[in-house]
Amino acid sequence: MTWIKPSFLWMMYRCGWGTKEGQQTVLAIEIGRDGFEWALRNACLSHYSPGVHRDQADWKRRLRQAPARVQWDPERDLRLTPLPYRSLQLGLAGEASARFADEWTVRIDDVTPLAHEIHAQVRRGDLEAARKLMPEERAYPVGEGLLGHLTAPAWPEPAP
């Protein structure tokens, strides 16, 4: 499964600022909106949610059939501390993974040096300098109904 992590800081949490073994290269991959939304429309939550699924059997069936899955993880700050809201992580398998590789990818940039520079600023305690280096992130505007099958009525707050 290939995971799309639209949040830069969540990705830095996951790869340890590009220092974890096997995760030393950090790539920013731009994909087309049509592909991203196809994946969302065809995704299933990665966990059972009573407010979304009829029962566990329904969820398991959907999960087996879905070419994509969504999980919502706590967003992170510059120190990689969990924040009280969540960011989408989009897992791609089968048809979705093939479309991602063959159709949806628009651009690939190696942002490893940027990750290391931001991390260096954070280690120095200069969060303002680190913030200025951060890639621009904007809320993703979604059409009506695009995420309804991927959200639960109330998400628990992340543990401190």
Side-chain angles (χ1 to χ4, degrees), residues 4-143:
I4 296 173
K5 297 170 181 10
S7 162
F8 182 81
L9 288 174
W10 201 94
M11 187 63 207
M12 295 306 99
Y13 166 73
R14 179 69 177 89
C15 72
W17 296 100
T19 62
K20 288 185 180 177
E21 186 172 338
Q23 298 182 49
Q24 293 92 344
T25 301
V26 182
L27 300 177
I29 302 175
E30 181 181 341
I31 66 172
R33 185 178 184 96
D34 288 347
F36 187 68
E37 291 186 1
W38 182 94
L40 290 175
R41 278 192 305 277
N42 290 281
C44 178
L45 280 173
S46 63
H47 65 280
Y48 169 69
S49 176
V52 176
H53 307 104
R54 280 190 309 255
D55 52 36
Q56 289 218 358
D58 174 53
W59 165 70
K60 286 180 182 179
R61 180 187 52 76
R62 288 184 192 195
L63 190 63
R64 273 192 312 275
Q65 294 173 347
R69 63 183 58 173
V70 163
Q71 63 187 47
W72 297 92
D73 294 314
E75 182 54 87
R76 303 290 167 154
D77 65 16
L78 281 165
R79 289 196 169 99
L80 306 182
T81 304
L83 294 170
Y85 55 93
R86 294 179 178 264
S87 290
L88 178 136
Q89 315 304 320
L90 181 60
L92 308 176
E95 180 183 2
S97 185
R99 286 179 175 225
F100 171 70
D102 297 335
E103 301 170 22
W104 303 343
T105 300
V106 174
R107 178 178 166 176
I108 301 174
D109 292 316
D110 183 347
V111 295
T112 308
L114 175 64
H116 292 170
E117 179 57 28
I118 294 171
H119 187 215
Q121 296 295 341
V122 170
R123 282 194 322 264
R124 282 189 208 98
D126 193 346
L127 298 185
E128 187 56 35
R131 232 178 249 99
K132 288 179 182 177
L133 294 171
M134 286 285 298
E136 179 186 1
E137 292 183 338
R138 297 178 309 274
Y140 187 87
V142 294

